Amino acid sequence: MSDLVVRLADFSEFSQIKTIRKVVFQEEQEVEEALEFDGKDEICDHLIAFLDDKAVGTARIRYIDDKTVKIERLAVLSTVRGQGIGKKIIEEALLIIANKKIPEVVINAQEYVKGLYYKFGFAEEGEIFIEAGIPHVKMRKKL
């Protein structure tokens, strides 16, 4: 793989994160802007992935309470998918969460990518549901 860096983003990089999410969720998946940008970004940590110094992926970590965190908005640009970037973003997110000693992670996974989360030890919980017009499944992992 080329030079891949995944790290916590700083505020100045949010415009790049927003662009990635707009392309992946709004343009590709036709998610409404009001659903994608739900007003919770300010209370979350954001990860950003750079491939050869170009921002290509992101996810956010939302702290539900002192025992539970939710990984949301995992997005990788279509031009670089299949290179393990999403996997690296999840690895970094789980490391950050573990370092904060938060024991449980939940995710509403789009059904077609739930296999990625199985690899990290997430388990399905409940039935498939529709969120933003897309089939999802709730998944949970104890750290």
Side-chain angles (χ1 to χ4, degrees):
M1 181 181 290
S2 301
D3 185 28
L4 177 64
V5 175
V6 177
R7 61 170 173 74
L8 280 172
D10 62 47
F11 181 76
S12 68
E13 294 165 321
F14 193 72
S15 63
Q16 293 170 290
I17 289 168
K18 190 171 181 176
T19 298
I20 293 165
R21 286 171 45 187
K22 183 177 185 213
V23 168
V24 171
F25 296 120
Q26 290 179 254
E27 294 174 14
E28 289 179 25
Q29 298 184 350
E30 299 179 351
V31 173
E32 293 177 30
E33 183 175 11
L35 292 175
E36 176 53 33
F37 296 100
D38 58 5
K40 297 176 183 169
D41 285 316
E42 297 78 17
I43 62 167
C44 298
D45 283 338
H46 296 267
L47 292 168
I48 189 164
F50 291 95
L51 184 62
D52 297 329
D53 298 320
K54 180 182 183 320
V56 296
T58 188
R60 78 179 186 189
I61 301 171
R62 184 161 54 98
Y63 300 91
I64 307 298
D65 55 40
D66 62 350
K67 293 182 182 353
T68 310
V69 76
K70 189 172 184 187
I71 299 173
E72 304 174 306
R73 308 303 198 266
L74 174 65
V76 175
L77 294 176
S78 63
T79 54
V80 295
R81 286 186 198 140
Q83 299 183 45
I85 296 168
K87 180 181 174 199
K88 287 289 192 192
I89 292 170
I90 296 299
E91 285 174 357
E92 186 66 22
L94 291 173
L95 183 64
I96 290 166
I97 294 162
N99 285 337
K100 291 183 184 238
K101 309 253 188 283
I102 299 173
E104 188 171 65
V105 182
V106 294
I107 190 160
N108 288 349
Q110 289 188 12
E111 203 201 8
Y112 83 98
V113 293
K114 68 183 178 183
L116 169 67
Y117 301 108
Y118 281 133
K119 293 176 185 175
F120 288 102
F122 282 84
E124 283 188 55
E125 189 174 275
E127 301 294 319
I128 293 171
F129 61 95
I130 303 298
E131 187 173 73
I134 300 165
H136 284 72
V137 63
K138 186 172 187 173
M139 301 183 85
R140 185 177 305 272
K141 175 182 175 69
K142 302 276 188 189
L143 297 181

